[in-house]
């Protein structure tokens, strides 16, 4: 799985951002009009890839600029471009979360047939 993702990342990185951005509007529009089809799913993934390339370049440029200015770390006055990630270690299992089972009951009995919907 990781090899496949690395290959996809390498291929995406070879594409020029300007070429991808020429397709942004088309895929943003398709993605905004949900339909439960394979076509919509693929368009949404394409849109996500375009956004990923754009975000990667913005993040790269931000860090490159900070590094070339000799600044270390992030300035607290600047917006955080990268989200804070909490990495899970494989040795620590995720805490068990309790769940509730919701009971579905009919709102009212069908007055015409005299039967209720619990069957």
């Amino acid at each position: 799985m990781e090899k496949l993702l690395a290959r996809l990342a390498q291929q995406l990185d070879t594409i020029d951002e300007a070429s991808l951005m020429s397709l942004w509007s088309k895929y943003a529009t398709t993605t905004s009009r949900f339909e439960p089809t394979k076509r919509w799913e693929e368009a949404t993934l394409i849109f996500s890839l375009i956004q990923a390339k754009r975000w990667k370049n913005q993040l790269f440029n931000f860090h490159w600029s900070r590094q070339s200015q000799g600044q270390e770390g992030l300035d607290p006055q600047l917006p955080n471009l990268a989200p804070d990630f909490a990495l899970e270690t494989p040795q620590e299992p995720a805490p068990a979360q309790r769940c509730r089972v919701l009971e579905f009951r009919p709102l009212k009995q069908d007055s015409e047939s005299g039967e209720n919907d619990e069957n």
Side-chain angles (χ1 to χ4, degrees):
M1 181 63 74
E2 287 183 25
K3 287 180 182 179
L4 172 63
L5 291 173
R7 220 174 26 245
L8 287 171
Q10 290 166 1
Q11 289 176 334
L12 181 58
D13 204 30
T14 63
I15 301 171
D16 177 56
E17 182 182 358
S19 300
L20 288 173
M21 291 309 295
S22 68
L23 298 171
W24 191 93
S25 182
K26 172 185 176 181
Y27 287 100
T29 301
T30 303
T31 299
S32 70
R33 296 180 184 144
F34 174 74
E35 55 185 53
T37 63
K38 197 67 164 166
R39 182 179 149 263
W40 180 86
E41 290 181 28
E42 290 172 0
T44 303
L45 288 171
I46 291 168
F47 182 63
S48 298
L49 291 170
I50 293 169
Q51 289 292 93
K53 174 71 175 199
R54 184 178 189 190
W55 183 76
K56 186 274 301 180
N57 285 346
Q58 289 174 348
L59 191 59
F60 180 91
N61 292 338
F62 172 79
H63 286 294
W64 185 266
S65 173
R66 303 246 330 141
Q67 186 180 36
S68 67
Q69 296 171 4
Q71 298 173 343
E72 306 251 343
L74 289 176
D75 183 344
Q77 301 300 321
L78 293 175
N80 189 4
L81 296 179
D84 294 327
F85 292 104
L87 300 177
E88 295 179 9
T89 58
Q91 298 85 6
E92 299 176 23
Q97 295 181 355
R98 296 187 52 93
C99 62
R100 255 178 27 184
V101 175
L102 300 176
E103 183 179 346
F104 293 98
R105 289 183 247 151
L107 294 176
K108 61 182 179 180
Q109 208 168 3
D110 185 353
S111 58
E112 290 179 16
S113 66
E115 300 175 13
N116 68 24
D117 295 332
E118 291 183 25
N119 298 354

